[in-house]
Amino acid sequence: MKLFALSAALAASVFAAPLATHADDLTVGLAASTTSMDPQFYVVGPNSAMARNIFDGLVNQDAKQQIQPALAVSWQTVDDTTWEFKLRPNVKFHDGSDFAAEDVVASIKRIPLASTNSPSSFAAYVKAITEVTAVDPLTVRIKTDGPTPLLLNNLSRIAILPAEMEKTTTEEMNSGKGVIGTGPFKFASWTPDDNVVVERNDSYWGEKPAWDKVTFRVFKNSSARVAAMLAGDVDMIESIPTADTRRLQASDKLKVVNVAGNRIMYLHMDQDREESPFAKGPDGKNPLLKPEVRRALSLSINREALVDRIMDGQGVPAGQVVPEGYFGYDQAIKVDHYDPNKAKQLLADAGYPDGFSLTFHASNDRYPNDSKVAQAIGQFFSRIGIKTEVATLPGSVYFTRASNLEFSFIMGGAAVETGEASGVLGPILETYGEKAGQGNRGRYSNPEFDKALGEARRTLDDAKREELLKKATEIAMTDLGVIPVFYLANTWAVKNGLSYEGRSDGYTLPYYVKPN
């Protein structure tokens, strides 16, 4: 029996802060809007970050995505397919009800309902679970269909709700019904695309937050977000536009927090259809099916120039889906260096000496400089003879259409939500299915990749699992199931008198905003 027990818990100190309109209020400027108040509906950064303010998992991730106790204080493996969790006593939900094992059971069972119509569901995080049992009020046993070494990582993504919420729909939660967790803040209100208001949970099981009320205001326009920060209308903003970093750093009224991020910006191509709507060779067929074409596209991109000139240094060129230092990173895989001549030769070898026509779709309000990055990449493609048009759309339209496979070539971002490579390899590269590859909008499929990834997910031995993840990464990067471009940096600005550690997952969590 292998015993896992961690004694540390989430903690923050309580301070008085004469910075906001009210002494104990905080106003935060967000770059993207929460699209749902259902914490189990959609795996996307803004939703997951907001959920962490209101809900806990059995375990949570710290600022470096390491697993920490939350609603579970300890856990052990009974055998290769059975885990037992001891729950935290004396925890209450925001409605005053007691937290117990039945709430965990119901929350996990709710995932299929919450996955209905989801652009990218949480189903992948619970697909290995075959049974969840309440042994007693403070003990839960979880059985899996095989050894599941990432169970803790996966469970850190699953918000725990009261048991009576098991049948509550996403639509009901979006109306405000049942947005009840155990987290440091209680839900107060949500105005889509405008603001979310939360209030301090005085019954929180950990140290109490410093703030009575937090108002999250959405500023999709980066200039407006910066202006609000400089004017003192907000106490904190996230996702500093690269062009404004130096201006904010020069202000004596605030400070900039900059940490390495876990989000990869990548390109997804239609690798499924012989005829694709926005990628056509002279014969009308889809050129993106050919690996030589995908490699040519990768070699045509000057990643260093993108990071230096468009991102103002806030990024790192990427050759695989996780950055160096993360579990599963393969030191042997190098970034494709800019080589337009070789790219042209590969196109000719693939039968496209005169290129082909391509429309490249991307969001224009979801990631830092996403529209500018897309336009620059389009220019790189044009320079090697590909007749490229770039079309950018608001994220609210773009991601739904991309998930419906309306495009041929797209740009996306994926974060290492589980803290290791499988957290990205699975969602964007695993063969698409009901509970797999939910973010695989290019429909890449390679049985050897799926096999290596599947074996990694069943291997409890860390060293063996890492080698399998490296093997899966090598297969996918040889095929170029996606084209990695760069890793984003995560940035925040806070008023003087406040501190924020910054997080590799990019989440903005006021619980960790501390007055000095």
Side-chain angles (χ1 to χ4, degrees):
M1 179 183 296
K2 187 176 181 182
L3 178 65
F4 301 84
L6 296 171
S7 59
L10 296 172
S13 299
V14 180
F15 298 87
L19 290 168
T21 304
H22 182 274
D24 294 313
D25 290 354
L26 188 77
T27 302
V28 179
L30 299 180
S33 178
T34 302
T35 63
S36 175
M37 293 312 299
D38 183 346
Q40 298 181 340
F41 172 62
Y42 183 13
V43 182
V44 66
N47 291 20
S48 297
M50 185 58 66
R52 275 291 306 275
N53 295 293
I54 301 170
F55 301 90
D56 289 307
L58 279 176
V59 293
N60 288 338
Q61 294 181 16
D62 68 9
K64 299 299 182 184
Q65 295 190 260
Q66 300 303 302
I67 297 298
Q68 299 292 316
L71 295 179
V73 292
S74 65
W75 44 89
Q76 63 181 355
T77 52
V78 178
D79 55 46
D80 283 352
T81 61
T82 307
W83 295 62
E84 185 172 277
F85 294 82
K86 293 297 183 181
L87 305 183
R88 189 178 296 276
N90 304 317
V91 173
K92 290 188 177 295
F93 284 101
H94 298 156
D95 62 358
S97 61
D98 293 327
F99 161 71
E102 291 293 349
D103 303 306
V104 177
V105 175
S107 296
I108 292 174
K109 288 184 176 180
R110 184 179 178 269
I111 297 299
L113 172 65
S115 298
T116 304
N117 298 321
S118 172
S120 182
S121 80
F122 285 81
Y125 296 115
V126 298
K127 71 176 184 177
I129 296 175
T130 59
E131 184 180 349
V132 189
T133 305
V135 178
D136 60 48
L138 291 178
T139 307
V140 171
R141 281 197 175 187
I142 296 178
K143 289 186 175 293
T144 59
D145 58 9
T148 309
L150 286 183
L151 184 65
L152 295 177
N153 306 67
N154 292 338
L155 289 174
S156 73
R157 310 287 294 123
I158 304 302
I160 303 301
L161 295 76
E164 57 266 26
M165 297 296 298
E166 182 178 349
K167 302 298 182 182
T168 303
T169 66
T170 296
E171 290 75 16
E172 288 174 314
M173 293 194 75
N174 287 342
S175 73
K177 176 184 176 182
V179 187
I180 299 167
T182 60
F185 294 99
K186 299 185 292 185
F187 172 77
S189 67
W190 174 45
T191 303
D193 290 321
D194 188 6
N195 70 79
V196 177
V197 179
V198 296
E199 298 172 347
R200 179 164 56 199
N201 174 18
D202 288 321
S203 298
Y204 187 51
W205 53 264
E207 295 292 332
K208 305 304 181 288
W211 315 107
D212 286 338
K213 181 176 77 172
V214 179
T215 301
F216 297 92
R217 295 175 57 191
V218 178
F219 297 90
K220 292 184 179 180
N221 181 285
S222 298
S223 297
R225 192 163 65 254
V226 171
M229 187 74 223
L230 290 171
D233 294 336
V234 296
D235 302 301
M236 174 185 189
I237 62 171
E238 64 179 9
S239 301
I240 298 171
T242 54
D244 292 301
T245 302
R246 293 182 180 88
R247 182 157 64 115
L248 290 174
Q249 287 174 330
S251 172
D252 59 1
K253 297 180 180 180
L254 54 88
K255 54 192 173 186
V256 170
V257 179
N258 190 323
V259 300
N262 69 356
R263 185 174 295 278
I264 177 76
M265 297 302 298
Y266 65 93
L267 306 175
H268 232 151
M269 316 119 287
D270 184 352
Q271 297 176 63
D272 183 47
R273 295 172 286 192
E274 288 287 340
E275 295 184 2
S276 195
F278 293 102
K280 297 184 183 297
D283 59 357
K285 302 297 184 182
N286 176 13
L288 303 173
L289 295 173
K290 297 188 176 183
E292 302 95 330
V293 169
R294 301 195 294 272
R295 185 63 62 183
L297 292 168
S298 181
L299 290 168
S300 76
I301 301 170
N302 189 333
R303 292 166 173 81
E304 288 77 11
L306 287 177
V307 169
D308 292 342
R309 299 172 193 172
I310 294 181
M311 300 302 295
D312 274 357
Q314 289 189 18
V316 177
Q320 54 192 293
V321 298
V322 296
E324 187 170 4
Y326 276 74
F327 194 86
Y329 175 85
D330 190 343
Q331 195 73 40
I333 298 175
K334 305 301 180 184
V335 178
D336 270 346
H337 290 296
Y338 179 53
D339 193 338
N341 292 328
K342 186 175 180 181
K344 291 177 182 178
Q345 184 60 54
L346 284 173
L347 283 181
D349 292 345
Y352 302 102
D354 299 317
F356 54 88
S357 63
L358 177 70
T359 300
F360 171 21
H361 289 86
S363 60
N364 57 25
D365 60 0
R366 172 62 185 90
Y367 308 106
N369 296 330
D370 47 6
S371 182
K372 291 180 180 179
V373 169
Q375 294 290 345
I377 291 174
Q379 291 176 23
F380 289 136
F381 292 167
S382 295
R383 290 172 188 171
I384 63 169
I386 297 172
K387 304 170 187 64
T388 308
E389 294 185 11
V390 177
T392 64
L393 301 166
S396 59
V397 175
Y398 167 75
F399 288 105
T400 298
R401 294 185 63 187
S403 295
N404 291 336
L405 308 185
E406 295 183 31
F407 307 137
S408 298
F409 194 97
I410 62 173
M411 181 169 71
V416 193
E417 302 282 8
T418 62
E420 69 162 60
S422 62
V424 173
L425 292 172
I428 70 173
L429 287 162
E430 190 174 12
T431 298
Y432 179 81
E434 183 180 354
K435 296 183 179 181
Q438 291 292 300
N440 185 349
R441 298 181 174 105
R443 295 301 191 262
Y444 167 76
S445 180
N446 184 322
E448 290 302 311
F449 169 85
D450 292 342
K451 180 181 177 182
L453 180 61
E455 288 182 6
R457 287 171 170 161
R458 295 187 296 271
T459 301
L460 294 172
D461 181 276
D462 284 350
K464 292 179 180 178
R465 185 168 80 258
E466 185 163 30
E467 285 306 309
L468 286 165
L469 290 174
K470 289 180 179 180
K471 180 180 179 181
T473 298
E474 180 184 13
I475 292 168
M477 293 302 97
T478 299
D479 291 343
L480 282 181
V482 296
I483 297 175
V485 183
F486 58 81
Y487 309 107
L488 289 172
N490 295 327
T491 55
W492 296 264
V494 296
K495 283 184 177 179
N496 282 340
L498 295 178
S499 65
Y500 189 60
E501 179 183 4
R503 296 177 59 91
S504 63
D505 55 22
Y507 290 1
T508 300
L509 303 181
Y511 183 70
Y512 298 100
V513 178
K514 301 178 182 180
N516 294 330

